[in-house]
Protein backbone atom coordinates (compact mmCIF):
# COMPACT_ATOMS: atom_id res chain seq x y z
CA UNK A 1 0.00 0.00 0.00
CA UNK A 2 1.13 3.51 -0.83
CA UNK A 3 2.23 5.97 1.83
CA UNK A 4 1.11 9.59 1.70
CA UNK A 5 3.05 12.60 2.95
CA UNK A 6 1.65 15.89 4.26
CA UNK A 7 2.74 18.70 1.94
CA UNK A 8 2.75 21.14 4.87
CA UNK A 9 4.61 19.41 7.72
CA UNK A 10 6.00 16.18 6.27
CA UNK A 11 3.90 13.75 8.36
CA UNK A 12 3.76 10.38 6.62
CA UNK A 13 0.53 8.37 6.64
CA UNK A 14 1.54 4.71 6.52
CA UNK A 15 -1.45 2.40 5.94
CA UNK A 16 0.32 -0.38 7.86
CA UNK A 17 0.24 1.81 10.98
CA UNK A 18 -2.95 3.79 10.32
CA UNK A 19 -3.67 6.55 12.84
CA UNK A 20 -5.37 4.73 15.72
CA UNK A 21 -5.20 7.79 18.01
CA UNK A 22 -7.53 9.51 15.55
CA UNK A 23 -9.82 6.61 14.66
CA UNK A 24 -8.03 5.11 11.66
CA UNK A 25 -7.21 1.44 12.25
CA UNK A 26 -3.89 -0.11 11.15
CA UNK A 27 -4.23 -1.59 7.68
CA UNK A 28 -6.55 1.18 6.43
CA UNK A 29 -5.62 2.18 2.86
CA UNK A 30 -5.53 5.90 2.06
CA UNK A 31 -8.68 5.65 -0.04
CA UNK A 32 -10.62 4.44 3.02
CA UNK A 33 -9.35 7.10 5.43
CA UNK A 34 -12.41 9.27 6.25
CA UNK A 35 -12.74 12.48 4.21
CA UNK A 36 -12.87 14.55 7.42
CA UNK A 37 -9.62 13.09 8.81
CA UNK A 38 -6.88 15.69 9.34
CA UNK A 39 -3.12 15.51 9.72
CA UNK A 40 -2.39 14.68 13.37
CA UNK A 41 0.59 17.06 13.41
CA UNK A 42 -0.61 20.20 11.65
CA UNK A 43 -4.35 19.74 11.15
CA UNK A 44 -4.66 20.09 7.36
CA UNK A 45 -7.06 17.93 5.36
CA UNK A 46 -6.43 14.96 3.09
CA UNK A 47 -6.26 17.28 0.09
CA UNK A 48 -2.90 18.54 1.38
CA UNK A 49 -1.27 15.08 1.10
CA UNK A 50 0.70 13.64 -1.82
CA UNK A 51 1.58 10.06 -2.66
CA UNK A 52 5.11 9.33 -1.46
Amino acid sequence: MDKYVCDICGYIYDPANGDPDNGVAPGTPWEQVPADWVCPLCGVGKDQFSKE
Side-chain angles (χ1 to χ4, degrees):
M1 286 188 274
D2 294 319
K3 295 178 183 177
Y4 284 77
V5 62
C6 178
D7 298 330
I8 306 304
C9 73
Y11 170 82
I12 297 173
Y13 176 78
D14 183 345
N17 299 331
D19 183 18
D21 291 343
N22 293 296
V24 180
T28 303
W30 181 250
E31 295 75 22
Q32 293 178 10
V33 172
D36 61 351
W37 178 85
V38 296
C39 177
L41 296 185
C42 70
V44 298
K46 285 180 68 178
D47 61 333
Q48 297 293 313
F49 280 72
S50 300
K51 187 185 287 190
E52 187 177 53

